[in-house]
Amino acid sequence: MKRALITGITGQDGSYLTELLLAKGYTIYGIVRRSSSLTRTRLEHIYGARHFEREKLYLEYGDMTDGSSLRTIITRVAPDEIYNLAAQSHVRVSFDTPEYTVDVADVGTLRLLEAARDYQKQAGKTVRYYQASSSEMFGSTPPPQSETTPFHPRSPYAIAKVAGYWHTVNYREAYGMHCSNGILFNHESERRGENFVTRKITLAAGRIKVGLQKELYLGNLDAKRDWGYAKDYVEAMWLMLQEDKPDDYVVATGESRSIREFLDASFGLLGLNWQDYVKIDQFYMRPSEVDFLLGNATKAQEKLGWRPKVSFSEMVKIMTEYDLDLAERELHAKKFSRS
Ligand code: NAP
Ligand code: GDD
């Protein structure tokens, strides 16, 4: 049975990838960093459970800023596949913490690749490596964006991801390692972090609907994104590592919509007019913005046979209904605590 090592296992994609690989019979080792409160809510249904899957998921303390921890874990775990999903992944926050963002996503990637290379040499076995690259790397280059589109990154986060992309290509070319980049366009879900725009909108729509919130503060509503469903996207990661030859792939839906269109879709489902609630706050504007992302995933479709299964409107419905349910439960808990 295969063994996979996942960095960023506690994040949105890490949790879906864990479910996918467990279903395929993998044993999984996830790297978690120390924090003052546990950040494992997305894994609780697996890690907290006393059933078969619990036996095949192990969490190891480590950090992308600590090369010695990465080396120790790789040697102990002896993985067949490594999925590098860890990052300070919030673009606006990367302007506030540029050095840390680069340390995790750029130098951290290099640390992990070096540890994997050393392990390969010592163990004499091939490790397959997946790098979570991003459509943010295209930045201001006009759409549609594909594997051959030049990068023009517009944030410390995107610059760190460009470096991580090239480290990955370089380990493939210099050392013949099986290293692949997934250039994933935005993908969302009911497990999306609460300060990314889609989840911020669906959470607010639910809370406004039940009367728990009156306003929603946002930044630039004109930016356009190619939004897909996260569960579909982790499948593309796995498919890349099953190929005989490592390569780089764009993963996207081929459709792009503005923040206004996302607002229309989510608030509209709950019979609300978003214009009555949304206010603009300069705080959420970025020093330099990425205006228009639209991916061309022809290569992933043709070589990997990958296609998105969940449409934009289905995804908005899943997220909006999930967050309405959360809001209703919050309201119920408040009423109950007063009675
Ligand atoms: P996410 O929810 O923000 O998860 C990020 C993960 O990285 C979390 O598990 C986090 O741990 C971990 N992490 C952060 N700093 C770390 C450090 N210093 N050491 C070890 N782990 C650390 O991100 P996501 O949406 O799942 O995305 C997964 C990856 O794909 C990221 O690299 C992201 O940049 C990239 N990506 C995402 C998208 C997208 O639309 N979602 C698109 C393209 C690329 P904590 O839980 O402790 O914070
Ligand atoms: N987060 C946020 N909060 N974004 C806002 C807001 C707000 O209040 N108001 C408007 N936006 C706009 C941002 O300016 C941006 O143009 C767009 O909404 C999307 O922002 P995010 O949801 O934060 O995602 P992102 O596109 O910047 O980055 C995500 O996708 C990348 C792939 O393209 C992240 O997941 C990155 O880690 C990922 O690489």
Side-chain angles (χ1 to χ4, degrees):
M1 275 305 144
K2 283 190 191 165
R3 301 152 75 88
L5 176 65
I6 304 176
T7 75
I9 193 167
T10 54
Q12 170 188 259
D13 291 4
S15 67
Y16 285 120
L17 182 64
T18 298
E19 286 171 2
L20 179 82
L21 298 184
L22 282 174
K24 292 185 183 297
Y26 280 66
T27 300
I28 294 168
Y29 297 83
I31 296 185
V32 293
R33 56 184 177 154
R34 199 269 158 182
S35 57
S36 64
S37 55
L38 290 183
T39 57
R40 298 173 194 176
T41 44
R42 295 183 179 104
L43 295 174
E44 241 159 39
H45 60 295
I46 308 168
Y47 200 67
R50 282 180 188 230
H51 54 68
F52 174 68
E53 287 179 340
R54 167 69 184 83
E55 305 299 312
K56 301 186 81 186
L57 171 61
Y58 301 91
L59 300 182
E60 308 271 342
Y61 275 113
D63 200 298
M64 297 304 289
T65 61
D66 182 336
S68 62
S69 67
L70 303 177
R71 277 172 190 277
T72 307
I73 291 169
I74 289 184
T75 308
R76 189 168 59 237
V77 164
D80 301 290
E81 296 175 6
I82 298 176
Y83 295 85
N84 182 25
L85 310 185
Q88 186 302 92
S89 73
H90 200 284
V91 173
R92 208 204 64 77
V93 173
S94 79
F95 288 98
D96 301 330
T97 59
E99 290 179 30
Y100 178 70
T101 302
V102 167
D103 196 13
V104 177
D106 166 357
V107 188
T109 297
L110 187 59
R111 291 183 186 108
L112 189 64
L113 282 164
E114 264 301 280
R117 181 168 82 96
D118 281 355
Y119 168 71
Q120 265 204 181
K121 257 194 314 201
Q122 282 157 20
K125 85 175 213 189
T126 300
V127 181
R128 297 187 175 203
Y129 177 93
Y130 172 85
Q131 173 66 15
S133 288
S134 165
S135 51
E136 276 290 308
M137 301 188 305
F138 298 121
S140 59
T141 311
Q145 293 104 357
S146 72
E147 294 81 5
T148 54
T149 303
F151 300 142
H152 187 140
R154 302 262 290 165
S155 64
Y157 167 81
I159 292 166
K161 284 288 179 184
V162 169
Y165 170 93
W166 284 115
H167 291 314
T168 304
V169 171
N170 190 235
Y171 273 66
R172 184 166 77 217
E173 292 177 352
Y175 306 120
M177 286 174 65
H178 194 293
C179 298
S180 297
N181 280 290
I183 308 173
L184 271 52
F185 281 62
N186 297 49
H187 44 281
E188 318 294 313
S189 74
E190 62 278 28
R191 294 186 198 167
R192 184 59 143 151
E194 296 172 8
N195 58 356
F196 294 94
V197 77
T198 56
R199 189 77 200 287
K200 193 171 162 183
I201 291 170
T202 58
L203 278 165
R207 296 185 89 249
I208 288 169
K209 180 71 183 175
V210 304
L212 281 168
Q213 188 172 327
K214 289 193 166 50
E215 290 163 340
L216 168 60
Y217 288 89
L218 294 174
N220 176 16
L221 304 186
D222 296 319
K224 295 182 86 176
R225 291 290 182 272
D226 180 329
W227 279 302
Y229 190 54
K231 214 170 173 175
D232 290 343
Y233 283 43
V234 298
E235 184 143 22
M237 299 176 186
W238 177 76
L239 284 169
M240 283 175 218
L241 294 205
Q242 309 320 302
E243 288 292 294
D244 288 340
K245 272 185 65 192
D247 206 342
D248 309 316
Y249 298 89
V250 158
V251 178
T253 67
E255 294 175 15
S256 188
R257 290 177 176 81
S258 67
I259 315 300
R260 285 173 205 281
E261 288 174 279
F262 196 100
L263 281 161
D264 277 337
S266 178
F267 276 66
L269 277 171
L270 303 185
L272 300 170
N273 181 9
W274 64 264
Q275 283 91 345
D276 295 338
Y277 307 98
V278 170
K279 298 205 160 49
I280 301 303
D281 186 334
Q282 291 302 317
F283 176 81
Y284 298 110
M285 299 290 185
R286 293 164 186 194
S288 44
E289 176 63 285
V290 170
D291 294 319
F292 194 173
L293 294 176
L294 169 66
N296 175 350
T298 306
K299 182 174 170 184
Q301 287 171 12
E302 289 178 355
K303 288 185 79 179
L304 305 176
W306 178 86
R307 267 181 186 72
K309 296 186 187 102
V310 175
S311 70
F312 174 78
S313 54
E314 284 165 345
M315 180 187 76
V316 177
K317 189 163 183 286
I318 292 168
M319 293 176 69
T320 305
E321 286 177 353
Y322 183 90
D323 285 334
L324 176 63
D325 184 54
L326 271 188
E328 281 167 347
R329 280 195 266 160
E330 187 185 339
L331 184 69
H332 180 76
K334 277 208 167 108
K335 281 185 184 155
F336 187 71
S337 71
R338 269 193 244 114
S339 59

